[in-house]
Amino acid sequence: FYTYTNASPAGLPGVTGHHGGFALAMPFGEKLSLGGTVRYMRFSSDASGAIAANVDKGLTFDLGATLRPIQILSIGLVGQGLADRKSIWAPMRIGGGVVLQPIADLSLAFDVTVSFTTWDPNRGNPTSFMGGGEYLFARRVALRAGGGRDGLWENGYVTGGISALSEMGAVDFGFRSDVSGDLRGTYIGVSLRLFVPAP
């Protein structure tokens, strides 16, 4: 995967970033899966007023596990940024979540994350809460909606997205828009995925 970031918030330094890596997950029976990600990031911010220009870069990794005790319920636990870069662009945090699939094409999810990396050491460990749902139409188009509270930025937000799926790959579009907090933003993401058949 690869992500390019460019942001120019009013009154704050502009940021340009590159973030890429690879992920691998393996099932162990029908109830447990383990996975990991190795990723490299390089984010540079411009000088603004009393804030000096800065470059954050380096390797980090993530680890996760998914347990499916019954067919309609999945429980996940993940550690992100476990090689701590001391950067808000690759925060070290842990998270957990549950996904309920009451019918084949509907998924409902709830997640909690706790961050150990912030720009202000007096803020402690910000906690974020997220929830949402996805419905798959004719196994070709997925619609998503949700929202939550971002503990790192102290914002409430709403999200939405749509994916077009085929046997070969998928095209995804998503957005997040802050609806409360002092520093609000709208974020848009587009991704292309290629599915590689297992040998």
Side-chain angles (χ1 to χ4, degrees):
F1 65 88
Y2 170 77
T3 302
Y4 172 74
T5 300
N6 187 283
S8 302
L12 293 172
V15 175
T16 301
H18 305 273
H19 188 197
F22 66 92
L24 178 67
M26 295 289 293
F28 294 87
E30 297 182 357
K31 296 186 181 296
L32 178 66
S33 296
L34 301 177
T37 302
V38 175
R39 49 197 175 92
Y40 177 82
M41 61 102 179
R42 186 184 192 281
F43 286 89
S44 58
S45 58
D46 303 328
S48 177
I51 302 175
N54 186 46
V55 175
D56 288 342
K57 61 182 179 179
L59 280 169
T60 188
F61 68 95
D62 315 322
L63 296 173
T66 301
L67 178 66
R68 195 168 191 176
I70 58 176
Q71 187 66 23
I72 66 170
L73 178 67
S74 296
I75 303 168
L77 180 66
V78 66
Q80 183 182 29
L82 297 178
D84 192 5
R85 307 305 311 178
K86 309 296 184 185
S87 168
I88 63 170
W89 301 108
M92 184 172 71
R93 55 189 171 191
I94 60 171
V98 296
V99 176
L100 182 66
Q101 196 168 19
I103 59 176
D105 295 327
L106 175 65
S107 298
L108 304 172
F110 178 77
D111 306 294
V112 178
T113 64
V114 179
S115 180
F116 300 96
T117 308
T118 70
W119 61 88
D120 182 356
N122 297 319
R123 293 188 56 206
N125 300 321
T127 301
S128 299
F129 304 90
M130 299 145 278
E134 177 183 271
Y135 191 82
L136 182 61
F137 294 89
R139 304 201 175 274
R140 286 289 182 263
V141 177
L143 294 179
R144 296 178 298 279
R149 182 184 184 280
D150 187 327
L152 194 61
W153 297 99
E154 298 184 334
N155 289 348
Y157 62 88
V158 296
T159 64
I162 185 170
S163 298
L165 309 167
S166 74
E167 288 79 7
M168 295 182 60
V171 179
D172 308 294
F173 169 83
F175 78 93
R176 164 185 153 163
S177 184
D178 295 330
V179 295
S180 68
D182 295 332
L183 184 62
R184 302 186 191 185
T186 297
Y187 310 89
I188 296 173
V190 178
S191 70
L192 302 174
R193 292 181 287 157
L194 177 66
F195 301 149
V196 179

